Amino acid sequence: MFNRKLKALGYLEWDKVNGNNTEHFRKVVIWLEDQKIRLYTIEKRNDLRNIKSDKWPEVFQKYCKDIDCPITTNPLDQLEWLIGRAVNLEYADDCKKYQQVTGNKKNKQESLKPSLKSSNPLDNLDFYSKEFKNGVNAIAKLLNIPKHSSHLTTLEACSKLVCNRLNAAAVANPNTVIVKGKPFPIMDTKSGISLGDVVLDNAAKGLTLLYIHDLRNLQTKINELIVSVQNITANPKTDTKLGKVGK
C-alpha cells in the first residue's frame, strides 16, 4: 500500500516490499532512518540495524516514541506514518524543486485544454473600460434613465426598459406599454412605516412600490397559467374509436 511512496523516495526494491514480511519491514525502517529521517546519530542506529535481534520490536517501538509517532498499536500503520514523514522531509529539503514540477505539470495541463474562440463580439468587450462606461452613460441619457454609481446597474436598467418598452410588440402597439392616468403621489402618502428619518421613510415607500409591482407581475403570470390550463381542459380530444356500445 506504500510502494508508490517508496518509489518516489528512491527505495531500490520498492516493487518487492511486503509489509507483512519481517525482513522487508525492518529493512525499510532502517533505510528510512539512514537515508531520509536521520533522527538518531549514526552510533544510536546500531540497534535498528540489527534486524535479526529478538529485541528489534522493542527497539522499533522506542524509535516510534522518540519520533513522536501518534500510532502505537499497528506496526504497518506505524511504517506508513514513517514513510509519510520521510516524504515530508524530502519535500522540505528542496520544496522549490517540487513546486516547479507541479507548476510545469499544471501549465502542461492548461496547454492541453482546447481554446474556444467566440464569434460573438460581446464576449471580447472590456466591461470595465472607460469607453464601455461612456457608452452605457450615453444610452442611459438617451433613454432618460438616471445614472447609478455602478455602470453595470445602469446597463441593467437600460436593458429592462428596452425589453419591456421597446420590443417589437411594444413598438407595433405602443398604447399597450404607455402608462396612462394620473401618477400616484407615493412620496406624499403615509406608508404606515416610520423610521424616524425622511430619507429612510422615502426609501421604504420606494421598496413597497417595487414589492407591489413584483406581486402584480406574479399575479399576471398566475392568470396566464390558469388560462393555459383551462384551454387544455375545456377542449378535450376524444378518440371515439376506443369506445364500446352495449355489453
Side-chain angles (χ1 to χ4, degrees), residues 185-213:
I186 183 66
M187 295 302 175
D188 297 333
T189 60
K190 294 183 179 180
S191 62
I193 302 175
S194 179
L195 301 176
D197 185 90
V198 177
V199 176
L200 293 178
D201 288 343
N202 290 337
K205 293 176 183 179
L207 292 174
T208 302
L209 191 63
L210 292 174
Y211 177 68
I212 295 174
H213 183 268

Side-chain angles (χ1 to χ4, degrees), residues 128-142:
Y128 292 91
S129 64
K130 182 178 180 180
E131 293 78 6
F132 185 83
K133 293 179 181 180
N134 292 338
V136 171
N137 293 333
I139 295 175
K141 183 178 180 180
L142 182 64

Side-chain angles (χ1 to χ4, degrees), residues 4-22:
R4 294 179 62 186
K5 293 180 182 178
L6 289 175
K7 180 182 179 181
L9 290 171
Y11 190 73
L12 294 179
E13 297 182 346
W14 62 270
D15 56 336
K16 300 178 181 178
V17 173
N18 180 5
N20 295 315
N21 184 293
T22 302

